[in-house]
Amino acid sequence: MDLEKSPAERPAVPAEGCLTVAIRLPVRIVVLVLVVPVRMLWDALVVGGRFLRDTLLRPVGRVLQWLAWAVFVWPWVTLWRYAVVPVGKALAWLGYVSLVVPAVWMYETVLTPVGHAIAWVARGVGAGFAWVLRGLGAGFAWVLRGIGAVLAWVYARVLTPVGRAVAWLLRGLGIGFGAVALGVYRVVAWLVRHLIVVPALWLYEWILAPVGRAIAWAARGLGWLVRMIFTGIGAALYWTLRVLLVLPALTLWRWVLVPVGRVLAVVAREVGDALGHAWRVAGHLSLAVGRFLGRLFRWIFVEPVRWVYRSVLTPVGHLVRDTVLRPAAEAARGVGRVTRQALAAARESARQTRADIRRMLFGTPREPERVPLAKDRREPGAAGTRTLGSSTTALTKD
């Protein structure tokens, strides 16, 4: 059984240069020397802060919280609970009694009957208007039907023959005017073609087109010349900037800044790793020093105090309790018991004296008369009950 991983399965370890190995140990030693005091001071501050938080800040915070509640919250809660809420309920009840109840009474006893009456009157008036409008509509419909019949007769017997005659006359006039307009159009078209269109075409083909081509060729030549000038200027500026700025900057970046940056990156990485390693080692050292100081404080202060408390103070306290405090407590309880008995006897004597004085002044009070209880009206007993063989009526009673 192979307990080791094969070379293919082992994680690849990144190769480290000689610069990294040469920088690592001195940097870690220097950083450890610098970080250990800082870590011990930090741990001391953390312990002191926790002690201060548990012993001072937390009780003070609770006291301040209670004071803030008592000063800022409790008065407003009391005001809301015992002043605003009762006043609000009283105002709500007053509003309900003074506004809602009269409004409901007014709606139920006044507005509802008045509304029903108005609705009944409106229905009656609407029915009357509907009957009148139906009569007027029927009359207007009869009149309109008569007018329509008259207009139909006029259209069929008068307007239709007159319209046909006017249409025949206008058709003849239209044919004549069309022939005249066609002749005029043909004459005008021949004149426009030979006086305007043909000269304009000749002018465009033999004068304007050659002149336009010459202007376009000159513009293309001028554009090519300007483009070549700007191309030469751009090439000159490009090579000037490349030789004067780009190549020096590229050389500086490639042969100076990149190596320096790599060295600084290695140094920064090693310093960071050294800081982390030193912080962890300083934590272990601080923990060991803290435990040593804790044990030393326990041996110097806590154990002697505990021994004094267990061996000296506890026996002395038990002796004082058994010889002084317990007899004193028994005596105090006896005195209290005697005092309570004396006070009870005095109260009883005062009560008897007040009763005797009341009897001498007003006499003995009469005892209340006893009222006889009413007769039991529940079901009669066994002797007076009805059975199948006897009856309680006057006719069938044995």
Side-chain angles (χ1 to χ4, degrees):
M1 181 177 181
D2 189 7
L3 298 178
E4 297 182 356
K5 294 182 178 180
S6 61
E9 297 178 356
R10 293 177 183 174
V13 179
E16 296 180 350
C18 59
L19 180 62
T20 304
V21 177
I23 291 174
R24 179 175 300 166
L25 187 60
V27 168
R28 289 195 176 185
I29 293 172
V30 174
V31 170
L32 180 62
V33 172
L34 295 176
V35 167
V36 167
V38 177
R39 179 59 186 265
M40 295 184 67
L41 179 62
W42 173 259
D43 292 338
L45 290 176
V46 169
V47 172
R50 289 177 181 175
F51 176 77
L52 184 64
R53 181 195 63 186
D54 296 335
T55 57
L56 181 62
L57 295 180
R58 186 171 292 172
V60 170
R62 290 176 180 175
V63 171
L64 292 177
Q65 182 182 1
W66 182 83
L67 288 176
W69 170 264
V71 173
F72 296 104
V73 179
W74 182 77
W76 294 104
V77 172
T78 305
L79 180 64
W80 172 263
R81 184 177 297 173
Y82 297 105
V84 176
V85 173
V87 171
K89 291 182 179 179
L91 292 176
W93 180 81
L94 183 62
Y96 178 77
V97 172
S98 60
L99 296 177
V100 178
V101 174
V104 172
W105 179 83
M106 177 69 72
Y107 175 78
E108 292 180 351
T109 57
V110 178
L111 296 180
T112 301
V114 171
H116 291 171
I118 292 173
W120 181 80
V121 171
R123 285 195 297 271
V125 171
F129 274 112
W131 182 79
V132 172
L133 291 176
R134 282 197 298 271
L136 292 175
F140 279 115
W142 183 80
V143 172
L144 290 175
R145 281 197 298 272
I147 293 173
V150 172
L151 291 177
W153 182 84
V154 170
Y155 175 78
R157 302 297 180 181
V158 178
L159 295 179
T160 300
V162 172
R164 289 176 180 174
V166 171
W168 180 81
L169 180 62
L170 290 176
R171 191 181 300 114
L173 293 176
I175 292 171
F177 279 114
V180 173
L182 181 61
V184 172
Y185 170 74
R186 288 181 177 178
V187 171
V188 171
W190 185 85
L191 292 175
V192 168
R193 177 179 178 81
H194 288 84
L195 295 178
I196 296 176
V197 177
V198 173
L201 289 175
W202 182 85
L203 179 65
Y204 174 77
E205 290 180 357
W206 298 102
I207 297 176
L208 295 180
V211 172
R213 293 190 184 97
I215 293 172
W217 181 82
R220 283 197 298 271
L222 182 62
W224 178 83
L225 179 61
V226 172
R227 185 170 63 253
M228 292 303 294
I229 292 172
F230 279 104
T231 302
I233 294 173
L237 290 176
Y238 168 75
W239 283 106
T240 303
L241 293 176
R242 181 178 177 84
V243 171
L244 296 179
L245 296 178
V246 176
L247 292 179
L250 183 61
T251 304
L252 179 65
W253 169 260
R254 182 176 296 174
W255 301 105
V256 178
L257 296 180
V258 172
V260 173
R262 289 175 181 175
V263 172
L264 293 178
V266 171
V267 174
R269 185 175 68 249
E270 291 301 324
V271 170
D273 295 340
L275 283 175
H277 182 71
W279 188 261
R280 290 190 293 271
V281 173
H284 292 291
L285 294 176
S286 177
L287 180 61
V289 172
R291 288 178 180 176
F292 172 73
L293 293 178
R295 289 184 180 179
L296 184 62
F297 178 75
R298 181 178 179 183
W299 293 338
I300 294 174
F301 182 75
V302 176
E303 290 297 334
V305 170
R306 182 182 296 176
W307 180 83
V308 169
Y309 176 77
R310 289 182 179 179
S311 303
V312 180
L313 297 180
T314 301
V316 171
H318 290 174
L319 179 63
V320 171
R321 182 191 63 187
D322 296 335
T323 58
V324 178
L325 297 180
R326 188 168 291 172
E330 291 292 339
R333 283 195 292 270
V335 171
R337 191 181 304 111
V338 172
T339 303
R340 287 193 298 271
Q341 291 176 359
L343 291 175
R347 285 195 297 269
E348 186 65 26
S349 300
R351 191 179 298 110
Q352 292 294 334
T353 303
R354 287 197 302 270
D356 294 338
I357 293 172
R358 191 182 300 110
R359 279 196 298 270
M360 286 188 298
L361 293 176
F362 301 104
T364 304
R366 294 183 302 174
E367 295 182 358
E369 297 180 358
R370 295 183 178 180
V371 179
L373 297 175
K375 189 176 180 181
D376 194 3
R377 296 183 178 181
R378 294 181 297 176
E379 289 293 333
T385 57
R386 290 180 292 179
T387 60
L388 294 176
S390 63
S391 178
T392 56
T393 59
L395 298 176
T396 61
K397 192 173 182 182
D398 294 339

